[in-house]
Amino acid sequence: MTHDAGDLLRRITRLHTAVQQRAASCCGIQSLTRCQLLTTLGREGPLTLADLARRLGADKGWLSRNVDDLVQGGLVDKQPHPADRRAVTLTLTPEGQAQFQALNTELCSQSARLLSRVPPEEQAGVLRALEVLADALEAEYAVQLGPSCTAT
């Protein structure tokens, strides 16, 4: 059993990423980037490219190239923003919405299977601990300024 918090968090992240990649590939999605874009637009869209970049913590240039791939694949629609001529609005196409729904269903099933592996009497505690951890990660993410590494 791992007792070091850093090692445990890295192990959980690595395993969760690998399991999500397998779930995404079951839906025909070969990239976690594509998975993130589709799920974010599916849950929160329509979004501007800048809003999507902020939500994902991604570089706008890198994100723009990935969004363009989804546009070319017929999964995302890119339209001028009605109030800002410099911005574009991103929405899922019907095909993108269908892929998002399939992916979301698979990821929800995966989460249910994962939780079912936790003893029933511990499930509520695990969910509460995950909520606390998610809040802590969001707070940590919010205070990080740029790509520099600093120990605190």
Side-chain angles (χ1 to χ4, degrees):
M1 180 174 267
T2 305
H3 295 286
D4 178 77
D7 286 344
L8 183 56
L9 284 170
R10 286 186 293 278
R11 179 176 158 214
I12 289 168
T13 300
R14 178 181 47 78
L15 289 167
H16 188 251
T17 300
V19 169
Q20 279 204 314
Q21 180 63 57
R22 284 186 187 163
S25 68
C26 289
C27 298
I29 300 170
Q30 301 306 317
S31 144
L32 283 180
T33 298
R34 180 174 274 205
C35 178
Q36 279 188 310
L37 294 174
L38 288 172
T39 56
T40 302
L41 285 171
R43 290 183 184 132
E44 302 178 35
L47 295 170
T48 65
L49 187 63
D51 287 337
L52 184 59
R54 275 190 292 280
R55 279 178 173 73
L56 296 177
D59 172 75
K60 282 195 330 187
W62 174 86
L63 186 62
S64 181
R65 288 185 295 278
N66 282 280
V67 165
D68 285 345
D69 288 345
L70 293 174
V71 169
Q72 288 177 357
L75 300 174
V76 171
D77 185 39
K78 193 174 177 181
Q79 295 293 320
H81 190 279
D84 184 351
R85 291 182 301 163
R86 299 168 294 159
V88 294
T89 300
L90 306 171
T91 56
L92 293 179
T93 64
E95 186 179 340
Q97 188 67 35
Q99 195 166 56
F100 161 70
Q101 291 296 335
L103 176 62
N104 195 51
T105 298
E106 181 61 32
L107 292 174
C108 287
S109 294
Q110 177 190 73
S111 295
R113 283 191 311 273
L114 178 62
L115 190 58
S116 75
R117 295 178 185 278
V118 174
E121 65 276 6
E122 294 184 36
Q123 289 179 6
V126 167
L127 288 173
R128 178 66 188 132
L130 288 172
E131 287 176 1
V132 170
L133 182 58
D135 290 345
L137 285 167
E138 286 172 351
E140 177 67 16
Y141 182 74
V143 298
Q144 289 181 347
L145 301 175
S148 64
C149 296
T150 55
T152 55

